[in-house]
Amino acid sequence: MLQYILKRILVFVPTLLVISLLTFTLSVHSPGDPVEIIMNASSESGQDADKIAKKDEYQKMRHKLNLDLPVFYFSVSALSESDTLYKIPEKLQRENLARLVDHYGNWDKVSVYYQSLQHFENYAAHLKVSDSLQDHWIALQQITSELYFKSDAAIIENRLSEVEKQLLLIGASTGAGSEISKVKQSFHTMVTQPTAWKNYFPTVHWYGFETQYHLWLSKMLVGDFGLSYYKQQPVITMILERIGPTFMFSILSIIIAFAVSIPVGMNSAIHKGTKKDTFITILLFVLYSLPSFWIATLFINYFTNSEYLDWFPVKGLQNYADGADFVERTLNYAHHMVLPLFCYVYSSFAFISRQMRGSMLQTLSQDYIRTAWAKGLAPKQVYWKHAIRNSLLPIITLVASIFPSLIAGSIVIESLFTLPGLGMLAYEAEVIKDFPVIFTIMLLSAVFTLIGYLVSDILYALVDPRISYSKK
Amino acid sequence: MTMKVLCLGWIAALSLTACGSDASQSKTTTGSNEVKIHQLSDPEKLNPLTSTDANASTICANIFESLVTNDLTTYERKAFLIKALPEVVMNADHSIDFVMEFREEAAWPDGSPITGNDFDFSLKLIKNPFINCGPMRSSFELFDKVTVDAANPKKFTVHCDTIYNVAETYVTSLQMLNAKVFDPKGLLKNFSVYDMTHNMKALENSAALKEQGEFFNKSFNTALPENAGSGGYQFDKWETFQRVVLHKNKNWWAFKLKDADAVTFHANPDKLIYETVTDLNTAVVALKANELDVMHSIPNRDFVQDMQASKEMQDKFYLLSPPQFAYEHIGINTKNAKYADVRVRQALSHLIDVDKIVQVVAYGLGERISSFIHPLKKEYYNSDIELPDYNVAKAKKLLADAGWKDSNGDGTVDKIINGEKTELEVNVMYNKGNERRKKICLYFLESAKAAGVKINIQVKEWSEMLDAVHTHSFELYVLTLTSSPLESDPKPVWHTSEYAEGSNYTGFGNKESDALIEKIRTTLDATQRAVYYKELQKMVSDQVPVIFLMAHKERIAINKRWDNVVASGLYPGYDATMFKLKP
């Protein structure tokens, strides 16, 4: 048995690595720019110095977050793709270049076009234009700047013609004509010499160990889950702050759910077909069909409101006064927990008790139960000593699925009652793309899922002596 | 039997908790001099420089003080930490000096005086490149020197290297941070503001700056020491996702002022408690149940139909709807060939019934505007600009004049553009989940039909929409932009140079408008600046790069157990420090 457990724990390591990799990949490809999240660069003045400083700050932050490094040790990509595209600092330009490569399959030609565009933009910005022609110069620069975000050939062609038109109106020198010709030429080459076939041939680029994933993993292995992008606090501190309430609600709700559902299910099975069974079944299914957000809203509106029944606090986990003693604190917590706990737990009554009922009915039809009745055993002994153990086997499978919920919490209930749980933390992190927090919560969920499966296997062996994981 | 036991157990547990912990214990009691203020989420962090969200700013504004304050109703600037508004000295090299002097009484909670050295330190903190306050740092790039008067350390001069209309607003908004708390080792003492502005390359590897920056970034996120700021309140506790509590600073220097009330110095309630309630419905119930004293950003419908219409609510709460300095608008991509002709943009502006939208979508809690300046900013607002009326006939005529006719009888007008027949199908974009903007688009869709304009509504994720707007890959969008009752800079939104990387999404502007914007930015005389502002508004109105819809109104409910309640256009719309408990 011990050997089996150790083996299973060893399997955890590669499983977790794969999960970490998948999580990391998802985060890299999700929309949104972490640097912008941190800098929240919405406020701006029109000063040139301000703009330059902001660009500089952006680059520094990008470097600090290692976002200017390759994502993984290696990349398997299409032959057409660049292995250095990650170095382009502006996200939207980087995305447009990727689109161009996707269209034309030729990074070399795309990069020549990009460079010629940069060169021309710089050239156009320094053109000396008379006062009367300023509007054309403004238009010239604006159209040029748009080209960084265009990947459709027809639109690019249209914009390039506009640029030429504005150059003519400005009466720009032949130098300018030559510069725009270079852009047109590189664009023409890119379009007319596509190597789309390269999109279908894979290539492997090796980047070494200086990668985003490696740095993240190395830190994580020593227990450093990084800083939250948004709060700039250690992620582990944020999780530890929230894990307590979530655990408390989860464990209490699991205990209540099983403590209520197992006897109810048994009772239902024992009195199968009676009015009592029908009543319990209907009641539980009605409860099961009511969404928790609705029940929570009803509770908030009717049980916390001075207009109706002002029995419970509206929100939060506690609100005891400074200096409250242990009993006062405990009662204050319990008072706050009644309504959310009911919302957590009521829907599982039907599910677990129906499983228990079905399992019990199956067990009661077994030969050994008939033998027990024939021996003249009391009903209590038959049900609680002989039948229950075998009936519990299907219930154990539910344990595995319960473990992840230990940390997942319930976003809806936490949100409605403003409970400081992990569900809301995960939700908030998702909304603002706080990847270090998302990674850590996902990894914790994965660990708990794996532990759940292990525990259910062990429980099987404990409940049913016929199941053994030892080699015989 | 089992069922009976279970039911009885459940009832017993409920009774125990309901009786054992008095339900009213967590509610606001009438006599409590503590204001419970609703916040939709926890502040990001309480660090006054690195936090960027509005909750944190509101909380920090009670702890940290700026040099000036703004009147809640007139928005006029008033000297706060300083004796008088800055004396502005224009230099021959087009730079400006701001000469200021701290009040005699201005002091930290431990009694030590606030001096020019504290301003110097606070500015150096922002300029430390290792502190994560990038956006704020870039705004203070202009200020490159602080000179403290040797004879009177309360007096100091700040040098700004260029003439800029917003410079004074920036410099006087700087919050004072106590060096004893934020740099206990004195690591910034050996650096000057000048070096940190002009010679930063040479200082970038400084170990002292790095140590100070890292200490600052990590040490003041969830708690602030008593002596951190000089404000009327001090940090008490932060219970994650529950509440942030501030208590009154008993040693606040302003209590010693004789003219305190005249200059809006207030710290009346004993505590300010910022209660987190993430769900708006729950917050409304909490408000009714006296678990909250103040709630703002109440949904329009709830505010109008459930609160303003209820006698009971009116008796119990002040229901305030001060103006919000933000304007909702429809932006038009003027570079798109379909909208390049101003007559098309004008026609579109006549095809949306804004009055109806204000009444139906905003439940009347909005004010029609004709400009990017709020009408309450009377000195700058151009009241001569007419609001476009909903007029299908006028729109049809404008479209016909611009060459748009329904040549194929499909009900949508069309025109040959660049050799191709183009139907006037207008793609209007809004962000997913914003019901108000969705309704605006639907109204637009209905009303535009009458003039042969087909509206296609595009719903985008927020980040996707921002990308589209930044790259000018849109036709029309619905957005809200914030304006300000304070001095601001029109360049980021309206100057042509902001088209490539700034916020001039619509492509508005020409050399005349650019020149006007430059004049606004370099004119320090407010009267003259007002003339330029009005001209710019006229230009924007004539060119119709945006269809201005409305400036929204805040929706605030404040429990009537408080007195001295003033509604304001300044965020968050009230000042809880002023509240006085009714006898």
Side-chain angles (χ1 to χ4, degrees):
Chain A
M1 183 71 165
L2 185 68
Q3 201 182 2
Y4 171 78
I5 293 170
L6 287 173
K7 263 188 195 171
R8 287 287 300 270
I9 291 172
L10 276 178
V11 176
F12 281 9
V13 178
T15 314
L16 283 174
L17 274 178
V18 171
I19 291 167
S20 76
L21 195 58
L22 286 173
T23 316
F24 194 80
T25 313
L26 278 175
S27 74
V28 168
H29 289 95
S30 63
D33 185 349
V35 182
E36 280 176 11
I37 295 166
I38 294 171
M39 291 185 63
N40 190 16
S42 53
S43 64
E44 55 188 308
S45 81
Q47 290 293 328
D48 291 339
D50 179 355
K51 295 184 98 178
I52 293 163
K54 265 206 181 87
K55 271 192 169 179
D56 199 32
E57 293 291 344
Y58 182 94
Q59 297 308 336
K60 277 183 194 162
M61 188 54 76
R62 199 164 175 260
H63 178 69
K64 196 173 169 184
L65 299 177
N66 298 322
L67 295 175
D68 55 351
L69 292 177
V71 175
F72 195 56
Y73 304 103
F74 61 87
S75 69
V76 182
S77 56
L79 194 55
S80 57
E81 287 176 26
S82 159
D83 58 339
T84 52
L85 192 61
Y86 65 89
K87 289 184 178 171
I88 306 282
E90 284 80 15
K91 187 192 75 157
L92 295 171
Q93 288 188 19
R94 197 165 57 238
E95 286 172 358
N96 193 56
L97 285 171
R99 279 195 295 272
L100 285 171
V101 171
D102 200 37
H103 283 329
Y104 303 111
N106 196 336
W107 169 245
D108 294 339
K109 301 286 186 284
V110 170
S111 63
V112 170
Y113 165 67
Y114 179 66
Q115 282 161 11
S116 68
L117 196 58
Q118 282 182 314
H119 198 264
F120 178 75
E121 187 190 32
N122 189 38
Y123 184 89
H126 293 94
L127 275 176
K128 286 195 174 115
V129 180
S130 67
D131 198 43
S132 60
L133 297 169
Q134 284 286 320
D135 280 346
H136 297 298
W137 182 59
I138 289 167
L140 172 72
Q141 290 185 94
Q142 291 182 337
I143 299 162
T144 307
S145 71
E146 270 183 50
L147 283 164
Y148 285 110
F149 312 114
K150 304 294 175 200
S151 56
D152 185 288
I155 295 175
I156 295 174
E157 218 153 351
N158 174 285
R159 295 289 190 279
L160 285 173
S161 311
E162 277 292 316
V163 168
E164 277 189 314
K165 202 166 118 188
Q166 298 301 332
L167 279 174
L168 278 174
L169 290 166
I170 290 171
S173 64
T174 47
S178 147
E179 287 300 326
I180 191 62
S181 295
K182 282 181 197 164
V183 181
K184 285 187 80 176
Q185 182 57 44
S186 59
F187 169 69
H188 190 250
T189 312
M190 180 178 79
V191 176
T192 55
Q193 296 176 19
T195 49
W197 59 270
K198 283 187 180 176
N199 285 328
Y200 304 99
F201 284 83
T203 181
V204 177
H205 298 291
W206 173 254
Y207 296 108
F209 292 97
E210 194 68 6
T211 62
Q212 292 180 38
Y213 179 73
H214 183 78
L215 293 174
W216 173 72
L217 191 66
S218 327
K219 284 185 177 175
M220 202 195 68
L221 288 175
V222 293
D224 179 1
F225 292 91
L227 292 178
S228 150
Y229 284 165
Y230 186 59
K231 291 200 172 236
Q232 292 291 299
Q233 278 180 42
V235 172
I236 201 69
T237 312
M238 290 168 68
I239 287 177
L240 287 175
E241 274 178 352
R242 302 285 191 101
I243 209 163
T246 301
F247 258 70
M248 192 161 61
F249 274 107
S250 301
I251 290 169
L252 279 174
S253 58
I254 289 167
I255 291 170
I256 293 171
F258 280 91
V260 171
S261 305
I262 291 174
V264 168
M266 279 182 70
N267 203 296
S268 209
I270 291 163
H271 300 97
K272 189 195 165 197
T274 62
K275 279 183 182 171
K276 191 177 182 182
D277 178 33
T278 315
F279 173 74
I280 292 173
T281 306
I282 292 171
L283 178 73
L284 292 178
F285 273 97
V286 167
L287 276 181
Y288 186 64
S289 63
L290 300 176
S292 59
F293 75 86
W294 187 66
I295 290 287
T297 309
L298 284 184
F299 279 177
I300 288 167
N301 281 324
Y302 293 103
F303 289 113
T304 69
N305 196 336
S306 51
E307 291 171 9
Y308 303 96
L309 299 171
D310 195 6
W311 285 357
F312 296 100
V314 185
K315 53 138 296 204
L317 200 54
Q318 50 80 9
N319 192 20
Y320 49 76
D322 292 339
D325 62 23
F326 178 75
V327 176
E328 281 173 320
R329 287 180 183 215
T330 310
L331 284 173
N332 191 278
Y333 268 110
H335 192 204
H336 281 78
M337 285 172 71
V338 172
L339 297 183
L341 199 54
F342 185 83
C343 295
Y344 265 107
V345 83
Y346 75 86
S347 63
S348 53
F349 289 160
F351 183 60
I352 301 173
S353 63
R354 293 306 287 177
Q355 291 272 353
M356 188 64 204
R357 183 181 180 274
S359 172
M360 191 73 181
L361 284 173
Q362 209 177 3
T363 310
L364 289 176
S365 65
Q366 300 281 312
D367 288 345
Y368 77 94
I369 296 293
R370 255 197 302 276
T371 309
W373 286 120
K375 275 163 69 185
L377 292 179
K380 215 175 200 177
Q381 274 183 303
V382 174
Y383 297 135
W384 290 96
K385 193 173 173 189
H386 294 278
I388 191 168
R389 213 162 167 177
N390 275 349
S391 308
L392 282 175
L393 278 175
I395 301 295
I396 288 168
T397 49
L398 298 177
V399 173
S401 61
I402 284 166
F403 269 76
S405 74
L406 276 179
I407 68 156
S410 165
I411 294 166
V412 173
I413 297 170
E414 286 177 11
S415 168
L416 288 170
F417 288 101
T418 316
L419 300 172
L422 278 180
M424 272 307 282
L425 181 66
Y427 173 71
E428 287 171 340
E430 285 286 348
V431 170
I432 56 173
K433 300 187 197 314
D434 198 344
F435 296 129
V437 178
I438 298 169
F439 286 156
T440 314
I441 292 177
M442 282 188 82
L443 274 179
L444 275 178
S445 293
V447 169
F448 274 89
T449 309
L450 292 172
I451 291 173
Y453 283 120
L454 181 63
V455 169
S456 69
D457 283 354
I458 295 167
L459 283 176
Y460 265 127
L462 288 177
V463 173
D464 189 347
R466 291 169 299 177
I467 298 169
S468 168
Y469 300 110
S470 313
K471 281 182 186 170
K472 292 197 173 163
Chain B
M1 180 66 187
T2 321
M3 287 303 293
K4 282 176 196 162
V5 171
L6 288 171
C7 292
L8 284 172
W10 185 255
I11 292 165
L14 287 181
S15 314
L16 181 71
T17 55
C19 301
S21 177
D22 181 6
S24 60
Q25 184 184 324
S26 57
K27 319 276 183 185
T28 306
T29 50
T30 315
S32 156
N33 192 18
E34 297 172 352
V35 189
K36 290 190 171 182
I37 302 162
H38 173 235
Q39 55 180 5
L40 260 178
S41 62
D42 266 5
E44 164 199 350
K45 49 188 172 259
L46 287 179
N47 190 313
L49 299 189
T50 62
S51 61
T52 50
D53 70 328
N55 282 353
S57 309
T58 309
I59 295 171
C60 285
N62 298 303
I63 302 170
F64 301 97
E65 293 174 318
S66 307
L67 306 188
V68 301
T69 185
N70 292 86
D71 188 278
L72 287 179
T73 46
T74 65
Y75 314 117
E76 271 175 28
R77 291 182 324 125
K78 290 179 176 178
F80 190 78
L81 267 176
I82 47 178
K83 279 183 174 174
L85 291 177
E87 180 191 337
V88 182
V89 181
M90 301 278 289
N91 301 315
D93 62 352
H94 286 273
S95 65
I96 331 171
D97 284 335
F98 296 103
V99 185
M100 292 170 274
E101 187 176 346
F102 282 111
R103 288 173 186 269
E104 284 307 319
E105 299 85 350
W108 300 106
D110 64 4
S112 52
I114 298 175
T115 68
N117 293 317
D118 291 305
F119 184 94
D120 183 59
F121 170 76
S122 303
L123 188 55
K124 281 196 287 194
L125 268 184
I126 290 178
K127 286 182 179 273
N128 183 350
F130 294 97
I131 289 179
N132 297 333
C133 62
M136 190 186 276
R137 180 158 44 245
S138 50
S139 297
F140 283 86
E141 273 290 304
L142 300 168
F143 307 101
D144 59 357
K145 200 176 172 189
V146 178
T147 313
V148 182
D149 191 321
N152 174 13
K154 289 248 172 202
K155 194 172 179 185
F156 62 105
T157 304
V158 185
H159 182 258
C160 174
D161 72 359
T162 187
I163 297 173
Y164 185 31
N165 68 318
V166 194
E168 190 177 329
T169 306
Y170 281 156
V171 79
T172 52
S173 68
L174 185 70
Q175 288 179 325
M176 293 300 101
L177 278 70
N178 195 344
K180 284 179 200 163
V181 171
F182 294 102
D183 185 22
K185 291 186 181 175
L187 296 166
L188 291 186
K189 269 186 183 159
N190 298 326
F191 299 93
S192 70
V193 167
Y194 186 86
D195 281 343
M196 292 176 87
T197 310
H198 297 293
N199 302 323
M200 196 27 95
K201 283 276 170 223
L203 302 175
E204 263 180 354
N205 297 320
S206 159
L209 286 182
K210 190 173 182 196
E211 187 185 340
Q212 199 279 328
E214 285 174 356
F215 165 75
F216 185 89
N217 287 336
K218 74 173 184 195
S219 307
F220 307 102
N221 292 323
T222 52
L224 289 164
E226 280 211 336
N227 215 21
S230 58
Y233 288 85
Q234 291 172 320
F235 175 79
D236 192 324
K237 62 180 173 183
W238 180 352
E239 291 165 354
T240 306
F241 212 61
Q242 298 290 291
R243 60 190 64 84
V244 178
V245 182
L246 308 182
H247 63 253
K248 196 192 282 192
N249 173 8
K250 305 276 183 216
N251 300 319
W252 192 29
W253 60 271
F255 289 139
K256 294 168 192 160
L257 280 175
K258 284 174 190 160
D259 64 340
D261 274 339
V263 203
T264 61
F265 290 93
H266 300 285
N268 295 332
D270 291 336
K271 281 187 179 176
L272 302 178
I273 303 172
Y274 292 87
E275 289 279 355
T276 305
V277 187
T278 47
D279 183 71
L280 281 170
N281 176 54
T282 310
V284 171
V285 176
L287 186 79
K288 289 179 185 171
N290 293 333
E291 285 196 44
L292 291 172
D293 282 306
V294 181
M295 184 178 172
H296 58 94
S297 305
I298 300 167
N300 291 30
R301 195 203 65 82
D302 294 353
F303 189 77
V304 173
Q305 295 184 353
D306 297 347
M307 294 186 168
Q308 285 185 329
S310 156
K311 173 83 173 52
E312 195 190 338
M313 291 299 282
Q314 283 186 353
D315 289 344
K316 197 171 173 183
F317 299 102
Y318 300 102
L319 299 174
L320 313 173
S321 50
Q324 276 186 326
F325 283 81
Y327 57 93
E328 187 129 44
H329 64 283
I330 296 176
I332 306 173
N333 188 345
T334 61
K335 303 293 175 193
N336 185 304
K338 279 194 279 189
Y339 315 108
D341 190 326
V342 69
R343 289 170 294 187
V344 177
R345 305 197 293 268
Q346 283 169 342
L348 292 176
S349 76
H350 290 293
L351 285 177
I352 184 157
D353 192 347
V354 183
D355 288 320
K356 193 171 176 184
I357 285 174
V358 170
Q359 285 312 313
V360 180
V361 179
Y363 292 86
L365 292 169
E367 184 179 352
R368 280 203 68 180
I369 47 167
S370 60
S371 141
F372 56 93
I373 302 278
H374 197 283
L376 281 177
K377 222 170 159 182
K378 286 180 187 127
E379 69 278 23
Y380 289 162
Y381 184 70
N382 189 340
S383 50
D384 295 336
I385 297 172
E386 275 183 35
L387 294 167
D389 56 338
Y390 174 56
N391 191 329
V392 177
K394 201 188 274 182
K396 275 183 176 172
K397 185 177 183 312
L398 282 161
L399 287 174
D401 291 348
W404 291 88
K405 288 183 178 68
D406 185 8
S407 64
N408 51 9
D410 66 350
T412 306
V413 292
D414 53 72
K415 182 184 175 180
I416 306 291
I417 298 177
N418 296 328
E420 276 184 33
K421 180 185 268 188
T422 310
E423 301 276 340
L424 192 50
E425 289 192 16
V426 180
N427 297 317
V428 189
M429 187 168 69
Y430 77 93
N431 56 308
K432 197 174 175 181
N434 192 314
E435 286 302 309
R436 190 180 66 233
R437 290 182 190 150
K438 180 182 171 184
K439 285 178 191 165
I440 290 172
C441 290
L442 288 171
Y443 271 107
F444 195 16
L445 183 147
E446 280 303 316
S447 53
K449 258 185 208 167
V453 177
K454 187 179 175 192
I455 303 285
N456 299 321
I457 300 173
Q458 298 176 327
V459 192
K460 303 252 183 189
E461 287 293 337
W462 178 244
S463 59
E464 210 185 330
M465 175 160 163
L466 285 187
D467 284 353
V469 167
H470 283 298
T471 57
H472 312 285
S473 311
F474 68 92
E475 291 188 11
L476 271 74
Y477 65 75
V478 190
L479 264 184
T480 300
L481 280 183
T482 53
S483 59
S484 169
L486 315 178
E487 194 59 47
S488 59
D489 183 354
K491 187 174 175 184
V493 179
W494 303 109
H495 198 278
T496 58
S497 65
E498 299 294 320
Y499 181 78
E501 291 175 343
S503 305
N504 184 354
Y505 310 131
T506 61
F508 164 81
N510 52 34
K511 62 173 183 170
E512 281 85 19
S513 61
D514 285 354
L516 210 49
I517 290 167
E518 283 309 320
K519 281 184 191 167
I520 291 171
R521 302 172 77 240
T522 52
T523 303
L524 296 183
D525 173 17
T527 316
Q528 186 56 45
R529 204 161 53 224
V531 175
Y532 299 142
Y533 257 123
K534 284 176 182 172
E535 272 184 57
L536 181 63
Q537 289 169 73
K538 179 80 173 67
M539 273 187 190
V540 172
S541 169
D542 290 346
Q543 289 301 310
V544 204
V546 301
I547 302 168
F548 293 103
L549 300 176
M550 63 185 133
H552 293 283
K553 289 183 178 174
E554 244 301 356
R555 291 84 52 204
I556 304 169
I558 298 174
N559 198 308
K560 280 193 172 169
R561 73 191 189 97
W562 297 101
D563 219 342
N564 206 24
V565 172
V566 177
S568 171
L570 293 171
Y571 188 83
Y574 57 87
D575 181 359
T577 65
M578 290 173 68
F579 293 2
K580 282 181 182 164
L581 204 56
K582 277 184 184 168

